Amino acid sequence: MPQPPPNLPTVKVSPRGATRLNNGHFWVYRSDIVTTDGVPPGSVVTVTDHRGKPLGSALYSSSSQIAIRMISREPVPDFPALLRLRVADAIAYREPIVRDTDAYRLIFSEADFLPGLIVDRYRDILSLQILTQAWDSDPLRQTLISELTTRLNPDSIVERVDPRVRELENLPARASGLLHGSKTATIFNMNGVQFHYDALEGQKTGAFLDQRENYAAAAQYAHGEALDVFCYQGAFALHLAPRCSHVTAIDSSRPALEVADQNATLNHREIEWIEANAFDLLKDYAASGQQYDTIVLDPPAFAKSKRDLDAAMRGYKELNLRALKMLRPGGILMTCSCSYHVSQLNFLEMLASAALDAHKTVRILELRGQSRDHPILLNVPETAYLKCVIAHVSN
Ligand code: SAH
């Protein structure tokens, strides 16, 4: 039997945890951990089954419900060396698939075999986010920064901190800030549309890069009068504008709409931005008989956990029902969900039920997901989260 490398601490998992790993998943939950005697938080560990047989190497979190995230099925005596290889692989993976953009996700956690690490590129600025204890080590951060600067030569690297993640991971509070260079603002280009980027502002790491290919798809079908609901900084609206006679876009966040308006100026587009609660506004619009030819619905994740699923489905149905009623014959609905807990089947069933209630005939033009720079790892279902349906709607 191969022996684990002697220098790494060992975490023993239950038969159920071992089965999960043998089925190709990357995670073991705390309830499936047998022993973690003296393992320091955030260590690289050797994982064994309950009999002591090595199953590979992982990052260990002492506080997350996901105690183990695998980094390799082999022993990993030198994690920084593996990190350098994985960064090179992530860059190479994207070379043939990322087109018409200088903003995209460079490293997507498990899907790039670097669990808990996200790196997004916005032209000459890299924005990184760490989601687990292991990445909080300074030497590891230094290795990552040196690898990213050597390979990509960015003007700067910024770390975006989600305070809730640090709390859950039992890490000391830390502010977002520069890790390399001094530049924090730039302009990036996606599908020929330009966007202002401020590395220390905005939601996520600044933009919703996972929708990039869907923006281009939406533009192909858009026509007439368009409504972009949950528009954030205006990405869908700006992609629809060249094809539409008028675009109205709604969001509840004033800071997002301020950037959206600057983006419209940057691209010489006229878009009507409305600060409102989308649920209230759609209700008013529907009541007053407002009609559109193209509607985009891209709400925030309604189901953050399985428990929220019923309420989430009611939210999606209300929005989609109103949108379907407001579409003129021949209209286009582009409807999205970024909740992992809502499956594609759940989402299509919701849409089917909304179509019946709205007395509309809906034909699916495209079933889409996240952009390919957010890879889906076949045996890790959690890596597939974005659903995007493009549909033709008639009476
Ligand atoms: N379509 C955008 C991303 C949308 S993210 C893009 O591709 O860039 C979801 C957006 O919904 C956020 O901008 C958030 O501010 C907004 N939002 C959340 N709740 C809302 C509500 N009740 N009414 C209107 N906007 C809301």
Side-chain angles (χ1 to χ4, degrees), residues 71-72 130 132 212 346 353 372 393:
I71 48 172
S72 172
I130 64 163
T132 57
R212 176 176 51 85
N346 294 150
S353 152
R372 284 168 294 175
V393 179

Side-chain angles (χ1 to χ4, degrees), residues 190 195 203-204 206-212 215 228-237 250-257 274-281 296-302 319 336 338:
M190 263 188 205
F195 294 89
Q203 304 175 21
K204 291 189 100 180
F208 292 82
L209 299 176
D210 49 2
Q211 290 280 28
R212 176 176 51 85
Y215 300 143
D228 175 6
V229 190
F230 305 97
C231 68
Y232 185 55
Q233 297 178 349
F236 273 111
I250 305 169
D251 203 280
S252 58
S253 159
R254 178 177 287 260
L257 291 177
I274 300 183
E275 183 187 340
N277 179 324
F279 285 91
D280 297 342
L281 199 73
V296 175
L297 298 176
D298 185 19
F302 290 156
L319 287 174
C336 311
C338 57

Side-chain angles (χ1 to χ4, degrees), residues 85-203:
L85 281 179
R86 295 270 159 91
V87 171
D89 282 352
I91 293 170
Y93 179 83
R94 284 157 180 77
E95 252 156 34
I97 59 169
V98 173
R99 290 281 172 274
D100 304 321
T101 186
D102 53 21
Y104 55 94
R105 180 150 292 182
L106 199 66
I107 296 174
F108 183 32
S109 200
E110 276 77 9
D112 285 297
F113 315 110
L114 292 170
L117 177 66
I118 302 238
V119 181
D120 287 338
R121 178 176 199 169
Y122 294 92
R123 192 180 157 92
D124 38 19
I125 299 181
L126 300 182
S127 175
L128 73 86
Q129 246 184 338
I130 64 163
L131 307 173
T132 57
Q133 285 171 355
W135 295 103
D136 207 39
S137 117
D138 276 335
L140 210 52
R141 265 210 188 81
Q142 285 317 318
T143 303
L144 180 61
I145 292 165
S146 109
E147 197 57 25
L148 291 170
T149 45
T150 309
R151 293 193 171 273
L152 301 165
N153 193 24
D155 282 353
S156 59
I157 303 179
V158 169
E159 179 178 354
R160 290 288 296 242
V161 174
D162 180 341
R164 212 178 57 92
V165 168
R166 289 191 73 86
E167 212 171 288
L168 287 174
E169 286 289 312
N170 212 4
L171 292 169
R174 181 182 169 112
S176 295
L178 281 157
L179 300 177
H180 165 82
S182 58
K183 186 171 176 175
T184 59
T186 192
I187 287 174
F188 67 87
N189 185 310
M190 263 188 205
N191 309 311
V193 179
Q194 295 197 295
F195 294 89
H196 288 284
Y197 179 65
D198 186 330
L200 295 171
E201 299 288 335
Q203 304 175 21

Side-chain angles (χ1 to χ4, degrees), residues 1 10 38 44 60-61 112 124 146-147 150 166 191 198-199 213 215 218 258 311 318 339 343 353 355 368:
M1 193 191 286
T10 298
V44 177
Y60 170 68
S61 167
D112 285 297
D124 38 19
S146 109
E147 197 57 25
T150 309
R166 289 191 73 86
N191 309 311
D198 186 330
E213 292 173 355
Y215 300 143
E258 280 167 5
E318 178 180 334
S339 304
S343 68
S353 152
R368 305 182 56 92

